[in-house]
Amino acid sequence: MGTSGAAAYAGAARRSLRVTLAAGAGFYLFLYGFGQTVAATYALFAAVALAGLSRIPGTGRQRAAVLLRLLPVAWLLVVVGTFLAVRTWSAVAGMLVIGFALAFVAAGGPRPAGAAPGLQLLYILPSFPPYAPDTLGERLVGTTSGILLLVLAEALVLPDPPTVPYREIAARAAVTAERCAGELARAPYGLSPATGAAARAAAEALRPSKVPEAERPAGPGVRSRGLAHTGLAARTLLNRLDRLPAPPPGQAPSEAGLDLLRAVGRSAADTAALLRGTPGPAAGEERPGPARERALLAAHPTGQALPATLRRRADLLELADAALALSTAAGLAVRGREAAPGLPLGRFWYARMRAPQLWWRRLVGHAGSRSVFFQNAVRISLALAAARAVAGLATLPHGFWALLATLTLTRTTLDATRSSVRQALAGTLIGALATAGVIALVGTHTTVYAVVLLPLMLFTFTVGPVKGVGWSQALFTLVVALVFSQLAPATWRLAEVRLLDVLVGSVIGAVFGLLAWPRGARQEVRRSGAVLLRSAAEAVVTTAAEIAAGGVRDPGAPPRHGSLRHSLVLAETAFAQLQSEPGPADGEKPSVDWHAVLLTGHHTLWGADRVLVPPPEPVPGSAAGRPPAPVLVPPLEPAAAAALTRLGDRVAGRMLLLSAVLDPMEEAREAGDAPPYEDGGASRTAPAGAPNGYYAVDAWLEGLLADLERITGGGPRPDRR
């Protein structure tokens, strides 16, 4: 057994011990202590549902806190399920609505998504006959006891090894950015190989796929969004520091540029201290920040500077912008809405909103057939409702086992569902044969079942998650047989019922896996990636045209490019689900870097806002938090406008070409791979007398071309500077 296998068994054993202690304590207490079979059943299944079926990420104490918040939801589900069991049609309708709602709430982040399967079971169990509202009190007592015992077990028994919080990962990235800025501000004004490698490693560590699921900032709240924004800004800053070109040969860098780099380093150090909760600069200490140095560099006369000097100046201004975004986002991540006054509405549109508004925007944004959260919720709710209808109309004994099979075996892709069903049926058959033998041998001696149940549960929840679906179904079949043999006399036909129910639930899950988006996120991520690149191309063209034409810019205007923002959200969720689905076959390398697609969308969105609306210069004596005044930006000269429009069209054309390659439509797939980027040289030479703003837009567009080359695995283009 390798190191990874041993770690998997160790983690599963810790979880198994906690769920076994909580479920066993509640079950034995009510069954043998108070003689209450209903409370015993609900205590056991409440613990098994929220610890064995659910996968709530985080440490034990974090899961315990989540479980306490879920307790009122569990009460509501038990009450509703109890009263809707009066008729089959009402139970089916409730299953459809509640099943969709619980699955759709996964859009709120990994913890709601992890808890959803267990909450589904808490509705399924009381929605089956017998219709007994007079036992509601006993059901609620059992459910509450099982969850509270699980809370104690999660908080006190065998705590999991601590993970590195995302705030600490972002703080380490900020410290690395400070180190990079310090080296770039000293001769020879470049990064050493070791520092460059450290910058790339720190940026890579911020990828969501590299972060433990419990630490990913995926929630809709201000702090969670701010923390996600912090990670993205840190990656952007590190990438720009790593790509900053050296000064032209024989020319010393300007003092204003060096001052800006020092300010970026100080800002990164302050951001790291803020994220770690350590003391920052002393009160009253004068520490010029990147905003002031950016304004000074922007106002610095350039005279007859060479194009290389102007390009470096534009790159330095982008560095300052990334450092400002990092410090602002970190403030939102730590202080929440308290840090919102005075922030621009575009990039930090969420900063002034309350939690209910942000939750509503998150759910509304995913209320469509292109969202994988919506697809998953529709698939599982229809499958569970169909299974409940079949179980009720066919009067399946222990019919909730059929719904449990549908819930646990339905996957997001048809291939995965088919594989899980095949393994589950084989495992259930083996478990049913073993169950029939045990019941025939032991008979009605419940003491034997009581003694064997806890060791078997411990073994089941340790081995099952590691060995796979077949083992889980075989062992769980034995567990439920031992449970129900203690609740009422059982015969070997209990194994037959279990096999029939799992077969029915599996078939229903497979049917809806075939009918409802059978390709899962693999097709959706291609579609959403193509839509994202088309929206980005539109933003590039319109931004280049507006820059060329000039006009009034209002820094306080509402956020722009709504379609790009929405397509970016859908692409991010599709990519997140893609990471949880089975990957390519062994030896097959993915042809598209989907993370590069998402970064291209973010860089397009941020860059369009940045180059279109110049940052306001600080006015001495102005009131804090006063919104900046509109700015009149002159149009570009005809030669500069034409050159900028050509470059914007070239970037947009490249985006559209890649979107056609990514699109899952049959005619698009026939286009084959995107050809490598070819630059005929038109974008290399700036027109004579081009203003400073031209070079800022030029740097943004050239950076987008580098991002686009990473999408198809071509790596970054050689820096033409």
Side-chain angles (χ1 to χ4, degrees), residues 76-287:
L76 178 63
L77 293 173
V78 172
V79 171
V80 173
T82 297
F83 285 103
L84 290 184
V86 62
R87 296 285 187 275
T88 296
W89 68 263
S90 60
V92 171
M95 189 73 264
L96 186 64
V97 174
I98 292 175
F100 178 86
L102 291 176
F104 191 56
V105 169
R111 289 192 174 94
L119 293 175
Q120 300 270 21
L121 185 58
L122 291 182
Y123 170 80
I124 291 171
L125 184 61
S127 72
F128 273 91
Y131 172 64
D134 54 305
T135 64
L136 178 60
E138 196 174 342
R139 293 178 177 187
L140 290 175
V141 169
T143 301
T144 304
S145 302
I147 294 177
L148 292 180
L149 287 169
L150 183 60
V151 167
L152 293 176
E154 292 283 8
L156 302 177
V157 178
L158 296 180
D160 295 314
T163 57
V164 180
Y166 195 78
R167 277 173 57 169
E168 174 59 25
I169 298 174
R172 294 175 184 177
V175 170
T176 305
E178 177 194 14
R179 173 183 167 187
C180 294
E183 287 194 9
L184 291 170
R186 300 189 301 269
Y189 310 111
L191 295 183
S192 65
T195 302
R200 291 186 289 274
E204 187 71 12
L206 289 164
R207 279 194 183 217
S209 58
K210 305 289 185 182
V211 179
E213 189 177 12
E215 302 298 338
R216 295 174 192 169
V222 171
R223 283 184 167 86
S224 183
R225 290 180 188 267
L227 190 55
H229 205 152
T230 300
L232 188 60
R235 289 197 66 191
T236 303
L237 177 59
L238 288 168
N239 289 335
R240 289 175 180 169
L241 287 166
D242 189 35
R243 293 180 62 246
L244 183 69
Q251 183 178 346
S254 67
E255 193 61 33
L258 296 180
D259 287 342
L260 185 142
L261 284 169
R262 298 185 189 104
V264 166
R266 289 192 297 269
S267 175
D270 294 344
T271 299
L274 175 64
L275 291 169
R276 287 171 168 167
T278 56
E285 180 183 349
E286 182 67 24
R287 288 172 64 89

Side-chain angles (χ1 to χ4, degrees), residues 409-706:
L409 300 179
T410 304
R411 301 290 191 264
T412 57
T413 67
L414 177 60
D415 290 341
T417 300
R418 188 164 48 201
S419 175
S420 66
V421 166
R422 185 170 56 248
Q423 297 177 44
L425 290 178
T428 304
L429 177 59
I430 295 173
L433 293 175
T435 297
V438 169
I439 294 178
L441 181 64
V442 177
T444 59
H445 298 288
T446 57
T447 304
V448 176
Y449 300 133
V451 171
V452 175
L453 176 61
L454 290 186
L456 180 61
M457 287 181 64
L458 186 63
F459 183 75
T460 298
F461 293 117
T462 300
V463 175
V466 180
K467 300 293 286 187
V469 175
W471 280 78
S472 296
Q473 288 294 327
L475 293 171
F476 194 67
T477 298
L478 277 170
V479 168
V480 295
L482 297 188
V483 169
F484 282 94
S485 295
Q486 295 178 69
L487 296 173
T491 67
W492 64 269
R493 300 190 68 88
L494 182 65
E496 178 186 0
V497 170
R498 166 72 178 169
L499 181 60
L500 174 63
D501 288 341
V502 171
L503 177 61
V504 170
S506 301
V507 170
I508 292 174
V511 168
F512 282 93
L514 172 64
L515 298 178
W517 299 282
R519 296 185 181 180
R522 197 163 302 279
Q523 182 180 29
E524 193 57 46
V525 76
R526 299 189 72 89
R527 180 185 291 108
S528 60
V531 172
L532 173 61
L533 289 177
R534 287 195 287 269
S535 301
E538 179 184 357
V540 166
V541 171
T542 57
T543 301
E546 291 183 65
I547 292 291
V552 177
R553 311 283 188 251
D554 185 4
R560 298 160 41 87
H561 307 300
S563 61
L564 177 57
R565 295 177 190 276
H566 185 247
S567 60
L568 186 56
V569 168
L570 296 183
E572 286 178 328
T573 55
F575 174 68
Q577 178 170 304
L578 180 68
Q579 293 177 297
S580 67
E581 293 180 355
D586 293 341
E588 179 186 349
K589 294 183 179 179
S591 58
V592 178
D593 184 347
W594 295 109
H595 204 257
V597 176
L598 300 181
L599 286 178
T600 300
H602 279 291
H603 291 172
T604 303
L605 188 60
W606 289 14
D609 290 337
R610 182 180 68 252
V611 301
L612 191 62
V613 182
E617 298 186 15
V619 179
S622 63
R626 177 179 299 173
V631 179
L632 178 62
V633 178
L636 297 179
E637 294 294 330
L644 197 61
T645 302
R646 285 195 302 271
L647 181 56
D649 290 344
R650 186 174 294 113
V651 174
R654 181 66 176 166
M655 289 177 170
L656 292 175
L657 179 60
L658 284 172
S659 74
V661 174
L662 299 184
D663 199 301
M665 299 298 292
E666 186 66 32
E667 59 269 20
R669 287 201 300 271
E670 294 176 356
D673 294 334
Y677 175 79
E678 295 180 2
D679 190 346
S683 65
R684 295 174 184 269
T685 304
N692 294 329
Y694 171 89
Y695 290 97
V697 183
D698 177 81
W700 168 55
L701 294 176
E702 285 289 337
L704 287 178
L705 287 174

Side-chain angles (χ1 to χ4, degrees), residues 336-434:
R337 295 178 66 246
E338 295 178 5
L343 293 185
L345 290 176
R347 187 177 298 185
F348 304 101
W349 57 269
Y350 55 87
R352 301 187 184 109
M353 293 186 177
R354 298 186 180 276
Q357 291 175 284
L358 292 172
W359 265 97
W360 176 251
R361 288 178 68 103
R362 171 69 65 88
L363 295 178
V364 169
H366 286 287
S369 60
R370 295 279 68 87
S371 168
V372 293
F373 291 128
F374 182 86
Q375 294 175 6
N376 295 341
V378 169
R379 182 189 300 110
I380 194 64
S381 61
L382 289 175
L384 290 174
R388 180 63 183 87
V390 171
L393 296 175
T395 61
L396 290 179
H398 297 290
F400 82 96
W401 288 348
L403 272 77
L404 182 59
T406 302
L407 179 64
T408 55
L409 300 179
T410 304
R411 301 290 191 264
T412 57
T413 67
L414 177 60
D415 290 341
T417 300
R418 188 164 48 201
S419 175
S420 66
V421 166
R422 185 170 56 248
Q423 297 177 44
L425 290 178
T428 304
L429 177 59
I430 295 173
L433 293 175

